[in-house]
Amino acid sequence: DAKTTQPPSMDCAEGRAANLPCNHSTISGNEYVYWYRQIHSQGPQYIIHGLKNNETNEMASLIITEDRKSSTLILPHATLRDTAVYYCIVRGLSGSARQLTFGSGTQLTVLP
Amino acid sequence: EADIYQTPRYLVIGTGKKITLECSQTMGHDKMYWYQQDPGMELHLIHYSYGVNSTEKGDLSSESTVSRIRTEHFPLTLESARPSHTSQYLCASSEGDYTDTQYFGPGTRLTVL
């Protein structure tokens, strides 16, 4: 799986959009971009994933650049409960067991 | 929201005790996983199951064992707990389709004294 690079930390004001960047310059054509988050001491929570096109669900939007070398996770109206470590990972199509490797992620702190 | 459950959420036990960590999912997923994670550290896959009666060890060696007798149930057992087993244990499941998104339970935080 391709390596990703994320800023170690970001702050966001409550109610504003949180834009979390991720670089994945070595991504290959059949690899998906996944985002998870982990609130302290809890299990990781799946947020969203995409291949080429921008994606949106009830939690967030995922914007993937045309060359697919980077992406941005957007939380449109951040709340205090969105404070967590956010992980961007790149994964190939899985036909067998595949460990999730999160890396260091971005600590997002939503400020009141 | 994924329907995957783990019990207990917290467990403190003495050395030498046998324990079983429970994991259940109601999504009918074929694949299930057990990860071990220390605070602030990376996830480590310790067990994996493709389906009923199919289990494999993960990348991180573990003294624990697992069983998969029913699709929805994937318990992890430690025959004789030691302080080195103190960690958070996370269970996950995936549908096994082309995206293979893994959904996690809340975790069990185990402390062995």
Side-chain angles (χ1 to χ4, degrees), chain B residues 70-112:
Chain B
R70 303 198 316 266
T71 297
E72 62 272 21
H73 196 212
F74 191 39
L76 179 147
T77 298
L78 275 168
E79 289 292 334
S80 180
R82 295 205 301 269
S84 61
H85 296 139
T86 294
S87 189
Q88 171 143 317
Y89 292 83
L90 294 160
C91 181
S93 71
S94 66
E95 191 171 359
D97 64 6
Y98 69 98
T99 58
D100 206 28
T101 300
Q102 293 185 24
Y103 298 94
F104 285 82
T108 294
R109 183 162 297 281
L110 173 65
T111 302
V112 184

Short mmCIF file of all heavy atoms in Angstrom, two decimals, chain B residues 70-112:
data_model
loop_
_atom_site.label_atom_id
_atom_site.label_comp_id
_atom_site.label_asym_id
_atom_site.label_seq_id
_atom_site.Cartn_x
_atom_site.Cartn_y
_atom_site.Cartn_z
N ARG B 70 -19.45 -19.45 14.50
CA ARG B 70 -20.61 -18.80 13.89
C ARG B 70 -20.14 -17.54 13.18
O ARG B 70 -19.17 -16.90 13.60
CB ARG B 70 -21.65 -18.43 14.94
CG ARG B 70 -22.14 -19.60 15.78
CD ARG B 70 -23.44 -19.28 16.49
NE ARG B 70 -23.49 -17.97 17.11
CZ ARG B 70 -23.18 -17.74 18.37
NH1 ARG B 70 -22.78 -18.71 19.15
NH2 ARG B 70 -23.29 -16.51 18.87
N THR B 71 -20.82 -17.17 12.13
CA THR B 71 -20.43 -16.00 11.34
C THR B 71 -20.33 -14.75 12.19
O THR B 71 -19.41 -13.95 12.04
CB THR B 71 -21.45 -15.75 10.21
OG1 THR B 71 -21.44 -16.86 9.33
CG2 THR B 71 -21.11 -14.48 9.42
N GLU B 72 -21.26 -14.59 13.12
CA GLU B 72 -21.36 -13.33 13.84
C GLU B 72 -20.45 -13.24 15.07
O GLU B 72 -20.34 -12.19 15.67
CB GLU B 72 -22.82 -13.10 14.29
CG GLU B 72 -23.38 -14.12 15.25
CD GLU B 72 -24.00 -15.32 14.56
OE1 GLU B 72 -23.69 -15.57 13.37
OE2 GLU B 72 -24.83 -16.01 15.20
N HIS B 73 -19.77 -14.33 15.43
CA HIS B 73 -19.09 -14.38 16.71
C HIS B 73 -17.61 -14.75 16.52
O HIS B 73 -17.30 -15.74 15.83
CB HIS B 73 -19.78 -15.42 17.59
CG HIS B 73 -19.43 -15.33 19.03
ND1 HIS B 73 -19.38 -16.45 19.84
CD2 HIS B 73 -19.12 -14.27 19.82
CE1 HIS B 73 -19.04 -16.06 21.06
NE2 HIS B 73 -18.89 -14.76 21.06
N PHE B 74 -16.70 -13.97 17.13
CA PHE B 74 -15.26 -14.18 16.92
C PHE B 74 -14.53 -13.93 18.24
O PHE B 74 -13.84 -12.93 18.42
CB PHE B 74 -14.76 -13.24 15.83
CG PHE B 74 -13.38 -13.51 15.32
CD1 PHE B 74 -12.89 -14.79 15.13
CD2 PHE B 74 -12.54 -12.44 14.98
CE1 PHE B 74 -11.62 -15.02 14.63
CE2 PHE B 74 -11.26 -12.67 14.47
CZ PHE B 74 -10.80 -13.94 14.31
N PRO B 75 -14.63 -14.85 19.19
CA PRO B 75 -14.01 -14.63 20.51
C PRO B 75 -12.51 -14.87 20.50
O PRO B 75 -12.00 -15.72 19.75
CB PRO B 75 -14.72 -15.65 21.40
CG PRO B 75 -15.14 -16.75 20.45
CD PRO B 75 -15.45 -16.08 19.16
N LEU B 76 -11.82 -14.14 21.38
CA LEU B 76 -10.36 -14.28 21.55
C LEU B 76 -10.11 -14.76 22.97
O LEU B 76 -10.67 -14.22 23.92
CB LEU B 76 -9.70 -12.93 21.29
CG LEU B 76 -8.18 -12.83 21.43
CD1 LEU B 76 -7.61 -11.83 20.43
CD2 LEU B 76 -7.76 -12.45 22.84
N THR B 77 -9.25 -15.76 23.10
CA THR B 77 -8.97 -16.36 24.41
C THR B 77 -7.48 -16.30 24.74
O THR B 77 -6.64 -16.56 23.88
CB THR B 77 -9.44 -17.83 24.43
OG1 THR B 77 -10.84 -17.88 24.21
CG2 THR B 77 -9.13 -18.47 25.79
N LEU B 78 -7.21 -15.93 25.98
CA LEU B 78 -5.86 -16.02 26.55
C LEU B 78 -5.92 -17.07 27.64
O LEU B 78 -6.65 -16.91 28.62
CB LEU B 78 -5.42 -14.69 27.14
CG LEU B 78 -4.78 -13.67 26.20
CD1 LEU B 78 -4.68 -12.32 26.87
CD2 LEU B 78 -3.41 -14.15 25.76
N GLU B 79 -5.15 -18.16 27.49
CA GLU B 79 -5.22 -19.26 28.45
C GLU B 79 -4.61 -18.88 29.80
O GLU B 79 -5.09 -19.30 30.85
CB GLU B 79 -4.49 -20.49 27.89
CG GLU B 79 -5.21 -21.15 26.74
CD GLU B 79 -6.52 -21.83 27.16
OE1 GLU B 79 -6.65 -22.21 28.35
OE2 GLU B 79 -7.42 -21.93 26.31
N SER B 80 -3.56 -18.08 29.77
CA SER B 80 -2.89 -17.69 31.00
C SER B 80 -2.36 -16.27 30.83
O SER B 80 -1.30 -16.06 30.24
CB SER B 80 -1.75 -18.66 31.30
OG SER B 80 -1.08 -18.29 32.50
N ALA B 81 -3.12 -15.31 31.34
CA ALA B 81 -2.78 -13.91 31.11
C ALA B 81 -1.51 -13.51 31.87
O ALA B 81 -1.25 -13.99 32.99
CB ALA B 81 -3.94 -13.03 31.54
N ARG B 82 -0.73 -12.63 31.23
CA ARG B 82 0.49 -12.09 31.85
C ARG B 82 0.48 -10.57 31.71
O ARG B 82 -0.22 -10.02 30.83
CB ARG B 82 1.73 -12.64 31.14
CG ARG B 82 1.90 -14.14 31.29
CD ARG B 82 3.38 -14.49 31.12
NE ARG B 82 3.89 -14.07 29.82
CZ ARG B 82 3.88 -14.84 28.75
NH1 ARG B 82 3.37 -16.05 28.82
NH2 ARG B 82 4.38 -14.41 27.63
N PRO B 83 1.27 -9.87 32.53
CA PRO B 83 1.32 -8.40 32.41
C PRO B 83 1.66 -7.92 31.01
O PRO B 83 1.19 -6.85 30.60
CB PRO B 83 2.39 -8.01 33.43
CG PRO B 83 2.29 -9.07 34.48
CD PRO B 83 2.00 -10.34 33.73
N SER B 84 2.44 -8.69 30.25
CA SER B 84 2.79 -8.28 28.88
C SER B 84 1.58 -8.28 27.95
O SER B 84 1.65 -7.73 26.84
CB SER B 84 3.87 -9.19 28.31
OG SER B 84 3.41 -10.54 28.26
N HIS B 85 0.48 -8.88 28.37
CA HIS B 85 -0.74 -8.88 27.56
C HIS B 85 -1.58 -7.62 27.77
O HIS B 85 -2.60 -7.44 27.09
CB HIS B 85 -1.59 -10.11 27.88
CG HIS B 85 -0.94 -11.41 27.54
ND1 HIS B 85 -1.00 -12.52 28.36
CD2 HIS B 85 -0.19 -11.77 26.47
CE1 HIS B 85 -0.32 -13.51 27.81
NE2 HIS B 85 0.19 -13.09 26.67
N THR B 86 -1.17 -6.78 28.70
CA THR B 86 -1.88 -5.53 28.93
C THR B 86 -1.88 -4.68 27.67
O THR B 86 -0.82 -4.35 27.13
CB THR B 86 -1.23 -4.75 30.08
OG1 THR B 86 -1.40 -5.50 31.29
CG2 THR B 86 -1.86 -3.38 30.24
N SER B 87 -3.07 -4.33 27.17
CA SER B 87 -3.19 -3.60 25.91
C SER B 87 -4.67 -3.36 25.63
O SER B 87 -5.53 -3.78 26.40
CB SER B 87 -2.58 -4.42 24.77
OG SER B 87 -2.50 -3.67 23.58
N GLN B 88 -4.93 -2.66 24.52
CA GLN B 88 -6.30 -2.55 24.03
C GLN B 88 -6.46 -3.53 22.88
O GLN B 88 -5.61 -3.59 21.99
CB GLN B 88 -6.62 -1.13 23.56
CG GLN B 88 -7.96 -1.02 22.83
CD GLN B 88 -8.70 0.26 23.11
OE1 GLN B 88 -8.79 0.73 24.24
NE2 GLN B 88 -9.26 0.84 22.08
N TYR B 89 -7.57 -4.28 22.91
CA TYR B 89 -7.85 -5.27 21.88
C TYR B 89 -9.08 -4.79 21.09
O TYR B 89 -10.15 -4.54 21.65
CB TYR B 89 -8.09 -6.64 22.50
CG TYR B 89 -6.82 -7.21 23.10
CD1 TYR B 89 -6.43 -6.84 24.39
CD2 TYR B 89 -6.00 -8.06 22.38
CE1 TYR B 89 -5.26 -7.32 24.94
CE2 TYR B 89 -4.82 -8.54 22.93
CZ TYR B 89 -4.46 -8.17 24.20
OH TYR B 89 -3.29 -8.63 24.74
N LEU B 90 -8.89 -4.68 19.78
CA LEU B 90 -9.92 -4.15 18.90
C LEU B 90 -10.37 -5.22 17.92
O LEU B 90 -9.55 -5.86 17.27
CB LEU B 90 -9.39 -2.95 18.12
CG LEU B 90 -9.06 -1.72 18.97
CD1 LEU B 90 -8.11 -0.80 18.22
CD2 LEU B 90 -10.34 -0.98 19.32
N CYS B 91 -11.67 -5.40 17.82
CA CYS B 91 -12.25 -6.34 16.88
C CYS B 91 -12.84 -5.55 15.70
O CYS B 91 -13.35 -4.44 15.88
CB CYS B 91 -13.35 -7.14 17.57
SG CYS B 91 -14.16 -8.37 16.53
N ALA B 92 -12.72 -6.10 14.51
CA ALA B 92 -13.26 -5.44 13.32
C ALA B 92 -13.87 -6.49 12.40
O ALA B 92 -13.60 -7.69 12.53
CB ALA B 92 -12.17 -4.66 12.59
N SER B 93 -14.71 -6.02 11.48
CA SER B 93 -15.27 -6.93 10.48
C SER B 93 -15.37 -6.20 9.16
O SER B 93 -15.38 -4.96 9.11
CB SER B 93 -16.65 -7.45 10.91
OG SER B 93 -17.63 -6.43 10.84
N SER B 94 -15.41 -6.97 8.08
CA SER B 94 -15.60 -6.39 6.76
C SER B 94 -16.43 -7.35 5.92
O SER B 94 -16.44 -8.55 6.14
CB SER B 94 -14.27 -6.08 6.08
OG SER B 94 -13.56 -7.26 5.80
N GLU B 95 -17.09 -6.73 4.92
CA GLU B 95 -18.02 -7.51 4.12
C GLU B 95 -17.29 -8.44 3.17
O GLU B 95 -17.80 -9.46 2.76
CB GLU B 95 -18.93 -6.55 3.36
CG GLU B 95 -20.10 -7.21 2.68
CD GLU B 95 -21.08 -6.19 2.14
OE1 GLU B 95 -20.84 -4.98 2.32
OE2 GLU B 95 -22.07 -6.60 1.54
N GLY B 96 -16.06 -8.04 2.81
CA GLY B 96 -15.32 -8.85 1.86
C GLY B 96 -15.63 -8.49 0.43
O GLY B 96 -15.32 -9.22 -0.49
N ASP B 97 -16.28 -7.32 0.22
CA ASP B 97 -16.51 -6.91 -1.17
C ASP B 97 -15.27 -6.17 -1.69
O ASP B 97 -14.24 -6.17 -1.04
CB ASP B 97 -17.77 -6.05 -1.26
CG ASP B 97 -17.63 -4.73 -0.50
OD1 ASP B 97 -16.54 -4.44 0.01
OD2 ASP B 97 -18.63 -4.01 -0.42
N TYR B 98 -15.41 -5.54 -2.82
CA TYR B 98 -14.21 -5.00 -3.47
C TYR B 98 -13.57 -3.86 -2.71
O TYR B 98 -12.43 -3.54 -2.90
CB TYR B 98 -14.54 -4.57 -4.89
CG TYR B 98 -15.43 -3.35 -4.99
CD1 TYR B 98 -14.90 -2.09 -5.21
CD2 TYR B 98 -16.80 -3.45 -4.85
CE1 TYR B 98 -15.70 -0.96 -5.29
CE2 TYR B 98 -17.62 -2.35 -4.93
CZ TYR B 98 -17.06 -1.10 -5.16
OH TYR B 98 -17.87 -0.01 -5.23
N THR B 99 -14.31 -3.21 -1.83
CA THR B 99 -13.73 -2.11 -1.08
C THR B 99 -13.17 -2.57 0.25
O THR B 99 -12.26 -1.94 0.78
CB THR B 99 -14.76 -1.01 -0.81
OG1 THR B 99 -15.86 -1.57 -0.08
CG2 THR B 99 -15.25 -0.41 -2.11
N ASP B 100 -13.72 -3.64 0.81
CA ASP B 100 -13.21 -4.24 2.04
C ASP B 100 -13.05 -3.24 3.16
O ASP B 100 -12.03 -3.20 3.84
CB ASP B 100 -11.88 -4.93 1.75
CG ASP B 100 -11.60 -6.06 2.73
OD1 ASP B 100 -12.57 -6.63 3.23
OD2 ASP B 100 -10.42 -6.34 2.99
N THR B 101 -14.01 -2.36 3.38
CA THR B 101 -13.97 -1.43 4.49
C THR B 101 -14.09 -2.20 5.79
O THR B 101 -14.97 -3.04 5.96
CB THR B 101 -15.14 -0.43 4.38
OG1 THR B 101 -15.02 0.28 3.14
CG2 THR B 101 -15.14 0.54 5.54
N GLN B 102 -13.19 -1.91 6.72
CA GLN B 102 -13.23 -2.55 8.02
C GLN B 102 -13.95 -1.66 9.02
O GLN B 102 -13.65 -0.47 9.12
CB GLN B 102 -11.81 -2.85 8.52
CG GLN B 102 -11.12 -3.91 7.67
CD GLN B 102 -9.76 -4.30 8.21
OE1 GLN B 102 -9.49 -4.16 9.40
NE2 GLN B 102 -8.91 -4.80 7.34
N TYR B 103 -14.87 -2.24 9.76
CA TYR B 103 -15.63 -1.53 10.79
C TYR B 103 -15.21 -2.08 12.14
O TYR B 103 -15.16 -3.30 12.33
CB TYR B 103 -17.13 -1.73 10.59
CG TYR B 103 -17.64 -1.17 9.28
CD1 TYR B 103 -17.74 -1.98 8.16
CD2 TYR B 103 -17.99 0.18 9.16
CE1 TYR B 103 -18.19 -1.47 6.96
CE2 TYR B 103 -18.45 0.69 7.96
CZ TYR B 103 -18.54 -0.14 6.86
OH TYR B 103 -18.98 0.36 5.67
N PHE B 104 -14.96 -1.17 13.08
CA PHE B 104 -14.38 -1.56 14.36
C PHE B 104 -15.40 -1.52 15.49
O PHE B 104 -16.34 -0.71 15.49
CB PHE B 104 -13.23 -0.61 14.74
CG PHE B 104 -11.98 -0.85 13.96
CD1 PHE B 104 -11.83 -0.32 12.69
CD2 PHE B 104 -10.95 -1.62 14.49
CE1 PHE B 104 -10.67 -0.55 11.95
CE2 PHE B 104 -9.79 -1.85 13.78
CZ PHE B 104 -9.66 -1.32 12.51
N GLY B 105 -15.18 -2.40 16.46
CA GLY B 105 -15.90 -2.32 17.72
C GLY B 105 -15.27 -1.29 18.64
O GLY B 105 -14.25 -0.68 18.29
N PRO B 106 -15.85 -1.10 19.82
CA PRO B 106 -15.34 -0.07 20.75
C PRO B 106 -14.05 -0.45 21.45
O PRO B 106 -13.37 0.41 22.02
CB PRO B 106 -16.48 0.07 21.76
CG PRO B 106 -17.17 -1.25 21.73
CD PRO B 106 -17.06 -1.74 20.32
N GLY B 107 -13.68 -1.74 21.42
CA GLY B 107 -12.44 -2.16 22.04
C GLY B 107 -12.61 -2.70 23.45
O GLY B 107 -13.59 -2.38 24.14
N THR B 108 -11.67 -3.54 23.87
CA THR B 108 -11.57 -4.00 25.25
C THR B 108 -10.20 -3.60 25.77
O THR B 108 -9.19 -3.97 25.18
CB THR B 108 -11.71 -5.53 25.35
OG1 THR B 108 -13.02 -5.91 24.98
CG2 THR B 108 -11.44 -5.99 26.78
N ARG B 109 -10.21 -2.84 26.85
CA ARG B 109 -8.93 -2.46 27.46
C ARG B 109 -8.62 -3.45 28.56
O ARG B 109 -9.33 -3.52 29.57
CB ARG B 109 -8.98 -1.05 28.02
CG ARG B 109 -7.64 -0.61 28.60
CD ARG B 109 -7.53 0.89 28.75
NE ARG B 109 -7.59 1.59 27.49
CZ ARG B 109 -6.59 1.72 26.62
NH1 ARG B 109 -5.43 1.15 26.88
NH2 ARG B 109 -6.74 2.41 25.51
N LEU B 110 -7.56 -4.24 28.36
CA LEU B 110 -7.17 -5.31 29.28
C LEU B 110 -5.96 -4.88 30.10
O LEU B 110 -4.97 -4.41 29.53
CB LEU B 110 -6.83 -6.58 28.50
CG LEU B 110 -6.25 -7.74 29.31
CD1 LEU B 110 -7.27 -8.27 30.31
CD2 LEU B 110 -5.79 -8.86 28.39
N THR B 111 -6.07 -5.05 31.40
CA THR B 111 -4.95 -4.82 32.31
C THR B 111 -4.71 -6.09 33.10
O THR B 111 -5.62 -6.59 33.76
CB THR B 111 -5.22 -3.65 33.27
OG1 THR B 111 -5.49 -2.47 32.52
CG2 THR B 111 -4.02 -3.41 34.18
N VAL B 112 -3.48 -6.62 33.00
CA VAL B 112 -3.11 -7.82 33.74
C VAL B 112 -2.12 -7.42 34.83
O VAL B 112 -1.05 -6.87 34.53
CB VAL B 112 -2.51 -8.89 32.82
CG1 VAL B 112 -2.22 -10.17 33.62
CG2 VAL B 112 -3.44 -9.19 31.66
#
